Amino acid sequence: MRGRPPAGSRLRTVSLRRRVTALSMLVLAAVLVVVTVLTDVVFAAQTRAGLRDELTVRAALAGQLVAQGVPSQDVARRVEAPGVRAVVVAPDGHVYDGDADEDEPSGPPWRHGPGERGFPGRWGGGQGEDRGRGDQVLQQPLADGSRLTLVADAGPSTAAQNLLRRTLLLLSLGALAVAGVVTLLTTRVALAPLDSMTALARSITRGDRGRRLAPSRTDTELGRTASAFDAMLDELEGAEAAARASEARTRQFVADAAHELRTPLAGVQAVAEASIAPHLDGEERDRLNLLLLRESRRAARLVDDLLALARIDAGIELRREPVDLLDLARTEAERVQLLAPDRTIEVTGEAVVVPGDAARLGQVLGNLLDNARRHTPAGGRITVAVTAAAYATVLVTDTGPGVPPADRERIFDRLVRLDEARTSDDGGAGLGLAIARGIAWAHGGDVRCVDPPAGTGAAFALTLPRG
């Protein structure tokens, strides 16, 4: 069943090709706008600077002419140049315009009145209007008392600036159009690895689990994505294989548990059927009742072990408190000694206190001692040694047949019994060691089958953290 993403967490799946193209166009448009504005500003500044320089040169020429005694009318005419208008106002108020015809007499006296601005001439308009359209005006007194006014016409430069603006606008639009087409084509090639990833994902959904992207480089964006994709596939295949193996183990465990339960239940059924037979004497009936009790206890013990494993798998709850491992080991050893008086059980070591669940840890030690009791022959010895270092350790050793090194990990599997080391005639179902390890893991420790110190028999070490 496909899971639904939480609200607000849906992945936006707009076209990456269109997104890249749109963002590229936005960036290029911003760059073109900045370039166009800067070009216009620089061009206008250079044009104004050029006009000012031209006026300055013409004003210097006028000063030289006046120093040579040239009349004001001739000064105005000689100073004027294409695009530069010159007007000289003589000390007596006469205005001499450089545009006036040489044969024409000078006009009547003209002065700036309070309400007058600018000067007459063929250009028309006042000084304020000229400045408004970008004309440059320079006024400078001359050595003979006259006053020179120079006006540089900004019309040609303004027309050139407008032409430049139109040209830049057309070039920018053309560049955007060409860049858009090129970006669409190049992104199709650049995003081809994503199409390969999509094709691979679809082939995997169809059952082809073995294919991988195998990127040539993993230090790029697509390389890291492809590497993460391959790692995800490896994890998924590993999880799938683990799930299948777990399912197989579960089926095997259920089959083994049913087989183990069938034996005592069959015994209970057989004894019950025999006990209802007529004409049984009291001694035979007592014997059948004893057999019935033993088989029912065997079935109950197996059910309890299965329930314990189920609780471990679900996560058992621990009631943590300080636990003295030496006292706990002595208590369990006394219990096992009562069950096996023909074995010698010895507890050595020092008092070691660890945080844990006393009942659960007692179950671990009890399972280890019961395992040693079953496999230690009469007259044998079982030793429990409690030591403390970085971890607290309880070592349980016996003088039984031992466990082959190749089977020291397999014996912790559920419902596993070794022919050399285990028998089922006493009711052992092969769950005690699995339960002991599960409880130890819940405490942050472990149970392992280790090399026996004496070189013979079996040795199991329980390790627990001290704090």
Side-chain angles (χ1 to χ4, degrees), residues 26 76-77 93 110 123 125 137 211 224 279 303 305 325 341 343:
L26 287 177
R77 184 179 299 110
W110 177 86
W123 285 353
V137 179
R211 294 182 57 190
R224 287 192 292 268
H279 310 298
V303 172
D305 290 343
L325 292 180
R343 281 86 159 175

Side-chain angles (χ1 to χ4, degrees), residues 246-258:
S246 176
E247 183 180 0
R249 287 195 302 269
T250 301
R251 287 197 298 266
Q252 184 63 36
F253 175 73
V254 171
D256 293 340

Side-chain angles (χ1 to χ4, degrees), residues 1-36:
M1 181 178 178
R2 182 175 300 178
R4 298 188 55 170
S9 64
R10 289 182 176 272
L11 178 65
R12 298 184 61 186
T13 54
V14 297
S15 173
L16 186 58
R17 187 176 293 109
R18 295 178 182 174
R19 178 183 292 184
V20 171
T21 302
L23 291 178
S24 301
M25 292 300 98
L26 287 177
V27 173
L28 181 58
V31 172
L32 290 176
V33 168
V34 172
V35 171
T36 301

Side-chain angles (χ1 to χ4, degrees), residues 251-262 302 306 415 431:
R251 287 197 298 266
Q252 184 63 36
F253 175 73
V254 171
D256 293 340
H259 176 74
E260 292 292 336
L261 280 173
R262 185 177 60 181
L302 181 57
L306 292 175
L415 297 173
L431 296 175

